């Protein structure tokens, strides 16, 4: 397992859709290990495969007991208790904002070995899972910010892109 580089906005690969995982093999286990290592190395509370340039529906979040939870092909089947929550993102360094999310979820997914499971999440784990699920669909949390905040994020991304070029 290894820490991998994280794609940062405005990298267009962050906008690509991820495909469902069909092969539960050593490559998937290696990907999960890399996600966990990368999340821990960056002190993140969640990370998705697209953030390390892999277009598969895999994400990892820190659970309520502070241990990594792996979700492969996750689907939200129920939600409740919506409200505004503060978010940030490893792919949008320095950007923090309040977005509208459910704070209770019921999720169906598979583990790294293909075993199906269901889980009910509340508060930060629920918010984090929704954030990472957005990455699987090519969305960023900044897409949920008010238009004037999205403009500031876009301008900062353009500036970062010019500096990197």
């Amino acid at each position: 397992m290894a820490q991998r580089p994280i794609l940062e906005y405005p990298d267009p690969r962050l906008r690509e859709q991820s495909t469902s995982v069909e092969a539960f093999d050593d490559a998937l286990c290696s990907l999960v290990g890399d996600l966990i290592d990368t999340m821990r190395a960056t002190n993140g509370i969640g990370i998705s495969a697209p953030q390390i340039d892999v277009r598969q529906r895999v994400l990892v979040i820190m659970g309520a007991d502070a241990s990594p939870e792996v979700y492969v092909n996750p689907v939200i089947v129920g939600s409740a208790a919506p409200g505004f929550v503060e978010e940030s993102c490893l792919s949008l360094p320095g950007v923090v904002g309040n977005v509208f999310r459910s704070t209770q979820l019921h999720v169906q997914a598979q583990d790294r070995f293909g075993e199906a499971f269901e889980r009910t999440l509340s508060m930060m784990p629920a918010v984090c899972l929704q954030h990472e699920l957005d990455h699987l669909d090519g969305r960023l949390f900044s897409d949920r910010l008010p238009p004037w905040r999205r403009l500031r994020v876009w301008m900062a991304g353009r500036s970062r892109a010019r500096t990197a070029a």
Side-chain angles (χ1 to χ4, degrees), residues 2 8 11 16 31 49 76-77 79-80 90 98 104 126 128 149 163:
E8 292 184 3
D11 193 309
E16 296 175 8
L31 170 62
I76 296 172
V77 294
S79 63
L90 297 171
N98 293 319
Q104 296 176 352
C128 187
R149 285 280 288 142
T163 303

Side-chain angles (χ1 to χ4, degrees), residues 58-152:
V58 181
L59 63 87
V60 176
I61 65 169
M62 292 304 278
D65 65 353
S67 62
E69 295 180 358
V70 177
Y71 293 80
V72 180
N73 300 325
V75 177
I76 296 172
V77 294
S79 63
F84 281 98
V85 295
E86 186 177 86
E87 290 190 21
S88 60
C89 182
L90 297 171
S91 293
L92 290 158
V95 178
V96 178
N98 293 319
V99 297
F100 198 69
R101 300 264 194 203
S102 295
T103 59
Q104 296 176 352
L105 296 180
H106 190 74
V107 181
Q108 293 177 340
Q110 294 167 284
D111 66 16
R112 70 180 84 193
F113 306 108
E115 293 294 319
F117 67 88
E118 291 188 28
R119 189 160 291 141
T120 299
L121 302 172
S122 335
M123 303 310 291
M124 189 52 68
V127 170
C128 187
L129 187 125
Q130 291 168 88
H131 176 106
E132 301 307 334
L133 195 56
D134 274 355
H135 279 296
L136 302 182
D137 295 329
R139 293 186 70 184
L140 300 172
F141 94 92
S142 58
D143 299 341
R144 296 177 179 276
L145 294 172
W148 64 272
R149 285 280 288 142
R150 284 195 309 263
L151 179 61
R152 288 181 61 198

